[in-house]
Amino acid sequence: MATQEEVFKKIIAHCKEYGFVFPSSEIYDGLSAVYDYGQNGVELKNNIKQYWWNAMTRLHSNIVGIDAAIFMHPTTWKASGHVDAFNDPLIDNKDSKKRYRADVLIEEQLAKIDDKINKEVEKARKRFGDSFDEAMFRQTNERVMEHIQKREALHERFAKAMNDNDLAELRQIIVDEKIVCPISGTCNWTDVRQFNLMFTTEMGSTAEGTMKVYLRPETAQGIFVNFLNVQKTGRMKIPFGIAQIGKAFRNEIVARQFVFRMKEFEQMEMQFFVQPGEELKWFEYWKQFRLKWHKALGLGDEKYRFHDHDKLAHYANAATDIEFLMPFGFKEVEGIHSRTDFDLSQHAKYSNKKIEYFDAEKGESYTPYVIETSIGVDRMFLSIVCSSYKEEALADGESRVVLSLPAVLAPIKACIMPLVRKDGLPEKAQEVLNMLKYDFKVAYDEKDSIGKRYRRQDAIGTPLCITIDHDTLQDNCVTIRNRDTMQQERVPIAEVYAKVAKEASFSEIYKKIAD
Ligand code: GAP
């Protein structure tokens, strides 16, 4: 059995081999934590974005979209707190000259202790069989109790250092725990320093006249600064939301796990403006709606969980993550935050503008509170690919790799294949293709045996393969082969459009999640 790590490596290789994701500027040996989406990757990504955009803006008549610029006035980032506080604590190893996030080094140490505990538990489970009582074992086994105590003490010390922003203490924990650099193997560490994650560049043409500007680290601020524009021009009444999809940039130092943590990535964010006092009701609504959105894709309900935050940012009064079971454990894919009136008030203060909503019914003005839903397109992409990748043994002794993607998200909905490249079959296949291509992304393939062509489409997750054979010329029927069941059925050409439409259509899924 392959380990999860091996499976993940295979998925990354598969993404490259089948045109989903390439390392950026690969001919120059790539750029760390930057990736390009290939011909199939971009289709899958666009379908994810379409699913999110329509679920937010069509299923909610009170949500509208915008597309704000990546560059924003630099004061935006002062007001939002990013200039002062969007930092990671970094530490360098003096021997290897490699840089690490101090908090991540300690988190990995905590994970190592968890592994030790879990190994003990698994060993005991094997030994005791059905009579094994895990809770009792954890409470009574000396070695496990020792590990648990050590973990709790370390966790407490770590949490306090992070809360107090105590960089010297973070370094001391690393030293006390004898955490070594994986490259040099030494404990020869520098001090811990705060490192701002925002990329900067300059705007303007003369040396004196340039202005330092940032590449936005989140799309949300483009929504906040446009609150009044949208509210007034759209005559929006609270509660209402503004949705946006766009690129964000963070100078991530610990950039690993493929497209999970990148320096340039894409976010789908929605800010929902509500009356103060109603925010927790709406927080609950958005938690449930967003989870429904995820689960409706059918990747497996057990793969999702909420992770409520114990420690809240000073401006938030509730926050949760939707986590997805990746090959490397449950990981955050989406955040849902109740951000009070922090952002709008900050922008009002820094811009000296009144940013309020006038409630005509109540005859009063107030600064709305905000519920934010924020999901990374790339993490969503990764969760879908990871849970769809399957290696299957077939009845005939062969095997296949199949991406059982939700059909609505599949890059290509159907591949049209003439059985042979002669006898008028390619021309007939072209007719079928022409019938479909205006409404669906379809492909045409006439090379190699039908078996090989099926495998190629399985590997990119195409739900339907449509074969045109000699009988088609007589009976006007084609063979449609289903990706998941591999069952084939004979279907009149007149019914093909409806079959493909059924696979490609988002309507059913929208109906499932609509309130
Ligand atoms: N406006 C709130 C905000 O940006 P966040 O938790 O920092 O919150 C939201 O980011 C989502 O953006 C995350 O849940 C994740 O899906 C995605 N994300 C954040 N940093 C990322 C990175 N470096 N690479 C890929 N996706 C990232």
Side-chain angles (χ1 to χ4, degrees):
M1 260 283 273
T3 64
Q4 286 301 82
E5 203 177 323
E6 286 162 348
V7 171
F8 191 45
K9 276 194 185 143
K10 283 188 189 182
I11 292 170
I12 295 172
H14 188 87
C15 278
K16 181 166 176 222
E17 190 180 343
Y18 287 94
F20 283 88
V21 182
F22 307 126
S24 157
S25 25
E26 196 186 9
I27 57 167
Y28 297 106
D29 296 333
L31 189 61
S32 131
V34 186
Y35 290 92
D36 297 339
Y37 285 83
Q39 65 280 15
N40 290 316
V42 70
E43 295 287 346
L44 172 53
K45 209 172 158 213
N46 284 342
N47 292 338
I48 294 171
K49 290 194 269 187
Q50 184 188 343
Y51 177 41
W52 183 87
W53 188 261
N54 289 342
M56 299 308 260
T57 66
R58 286 194 193 169
L59 301 189
H60 301 92
S61 56
N62 57 353
I63 297 184
V64 292
I66 62 164
D67 183 18
I70 286 171
F71 289 130
M72 300 181 71
H73 191 284
T75 310
T76 307
W77 304 110
K78 191 79 192 146
S80 67
H82 284 82
V83 171
D84 295 322
F86 196 50
N87 298 323
D88 275 345
L90 297 189
I91 190 165
D92 292 34
N93 183 269
K94 291 184 195 164
D95 299 317
S96 67
K97 310 271 183 271
K98 289 279 170 202
R99 182 165 287 178
Y100 300 90
R101 264 176 62 179
D103 56 333
V104 171
L105 287 178
I106 300 170
E107 274 165 8
E108 284 173 351
Q109 184 76 353
L110 284 165
K112 273 189 197 158
I113 305 176
D114 285 338
D115 278 352
K116 281 185 191 162
I117 297 170
N118 291 337
K119 270 196 192 130
E120 293 289 345
V121 169
E122 288 317 308
K123 251 187 354 204
R125 192 191 308 282
K126 273 198 195 129
R127 210 167 50 234
F128 294 113
D130 286 346
S131 62
F132 182 57
D133 180 343
E134 184 177 330
M136 178 66 86
F137 181 76
R138 282 177 182 269
Q139 282 163 24
T140 52
N141 180 276
E142 258 178 44
R143 246 199 315 262
V144 169
M145 280 159 57
E146 215 174 279
H147 287 315
I148 291 176
Q149 262 173 15
K150 190 166 177 239
R151 190 198 187 285
E152 281 173 1
L154 175 58
H155 186 260
E156 203 174 307
R157 198 175 161 199
F158 171 51
K160 182 164 181 346
M162 289 296 283
N163 265 335
D164 297 348
N165 204 8
D166 186 344
L167 302 184
E169 173 68 353
L170 281 179
R171 181 181 188 279
Q172 200 52 50
I173 295 174
I174 291 172
V175 172
D176 292 349
E177 288 291 317
K178 301 190 176 54
I179 298 175
V180 296
C181 162
I183 310 282
S184 68
T186 71
C187 201
N188 194 8
W189 297 109
T190 60
D191 288 342
V192 177
R193 285 168 300 118
Q194 288 290 20
F195 177 84
N196 194 284
L197 291 182
M198 282 195 295
F199 285 102
T200 60
T201 186
E202 287 175 352
M203 197 172 265
S205 52
T206 60
E208 311 84 64
T210 56
M211 173 166 73
K212 179 166 143 185
V213 289
Y214 300 94
L215 298 191
R216 66 181 177 197
E218 62 171 19
T219 58
Q221 298 305 322
I223 293 177
F224 288 123
V225 301
N226 277 299
F227 168 76
L228 284 181
N229 284 337
V230 174
Q231 192 271 316
K232 291 208 154 73
T233 58
R235 292 185 294 128
M236 307 300 291
K237 281 206 168 64
I238 276 187
F240 75 91
I242 305 178
Q244 173 166 226
I245 299 177
K247 289 271 182 151
F249 304 82
R250 296 182 188 177
N251 199 357
E252 302 277 5
I253 293 303
V254 180
R256 278 179 315 196
Q257 292 156 335
F258 195 37
V259 295
F260 184 80
R261 195 178 301 285
M262 295 197 289
K263 291 181 175 153
E264 175 180 343
F265 58 100
E266 215 165 350
Q267 288 185 317
M268 305 188 282
E269 298 201 293
M270 192 278 303
Q271 314 296 134
F272 198 70
F273 299 95
V274 304
Q275 200 178 308
E278 297 211 329
E279 70 275 13
L280 293 181
K281 177 184 92 183
W282 284 110
F283 176 72
E284 201 45 45
Y285 169 82
W286 282 109
K287 259 179 87 167
Q288 297 314 327
F289 181 81
R290 293 302 308 146
L291 189 64
K292 247 195 306 184
W293 181 90
H294 283 276
K295 287 186 173 175
L297 288 174
L299 302 178
D301 288 3
E302 71 291 349
K303 293 195 174 124
Y304 299 91
R305 71 178 188 197
F306 283 123
H307 170 237
D308 295 329
H309 293 204
D310 306 326
K311 181 179 174 266
L312 294 170
H314 64 276
Y315 51 81
N317 62 6
T320 197
D321 296 333
I322 295 178
E323 294 186 337
F324 186 83
L325 186 57
M326 303 274 191
F328 41 92
F330 271 101
K331 295 286 163 192
E332 173 192 341
V333 171
E334 172 157 7
I336 300 157
H337 313 121
S338 174
R339 300 179 64 109
T340 67
D341 60 355
F342 173 78
D343 302 87
L344 290 182
S345 301
Q346 284 291 101
H347 288 303
K349 184 170 138 198
Y350 278 80
S351 66
N352 257 328
K353 305 264 170 15
K354 189 171 165 206
I355 306 181
E356 288 184 352
Y357 172 78
F358 178 70
D359 187 327
E361 273 166 35
K362 291 195 166 142
E364 62 181 34
S365 292
Y366 59 83
T367 309
Y369 272 36
V370 171
I371 307 301
E372 165 182 78
T373 70
S374 174
I375 170 170
V377 181
D378 313 272
R379 286 195 190 174
M380 188 64 200
F381 177 98
L382 187 61
S383 65
I384 290 164
V385 170
C386 287
S387 55
S388 301
Y389 178 89
K390 291 184 185 117
E391 292 173 12
E392 283 181 358
L394 303 177
D396 59 5
E398 296 274 301
S399 66
R400 69 166 182 163
V401 171
V402 59
L403 275 193
S404 56
L405 298 170
V408 287
L409 301 181
I412 291 168
K413 303 304 175 198
C415 183
I416 326 297
M417 309 171 169
L419 189 61
V420 290
R421 232 185 298 180
K422 56 182 183 183
D423 305 336
L425 299 190
E427 289 76 7
K428 193 73 184 169
Q430 205 62 49
E431 274 177 35
V432 176
L433 185 104
N434 287 342
M435 182 178 82
L436 297 171
K437 73 179 181 190
Y438 300 105
D439 292 316
F440 312 108
K441 176 75 183 163
V442 286
Y444 177 83
D445 192 0
E446 57 175 24
K447 259 180 89 183
D448 299 320
S449 69
I450 278 289
K452 275 193 181 158
R453 286 185 254 174
Y454 282 162
R455 292 291 165 274
R456 278 202 288 270
Q457 295 305 320
D458 287 344
I460 61 168
T462 306
L464 301 175
C465 287
I466 302 172
T467 307
I468 282 79
D469 56 23
H470 290 95
D471 288 345
T472 307
L473 304 179
Q474 312 305 322
D475 63 7
N476 240 3
C477 287
V478 294
T479 301
I480 298 190
R481 182 249 192 197
N482 180 291
R483 175 196 69 198
D484 299 327
T485 62
M486 292 188 284
Q487 297 289 314
Q488 302 186 6
E489 59 173 333
R490 203 73 189 155
V491 174
I493 288 179
E495 290 172 22
V496 167
Y497 185 98
K499 286 250 174 221
V500 177
K502 194 160 172 259
E503 293 288 327
S505 167
F506 280 102
S507 309
E508 287 311 310
I509 208 167
Y510 290 145
K511 282 181 201 155
K512 214 160 44 168
I513 61 174
D515 298 316

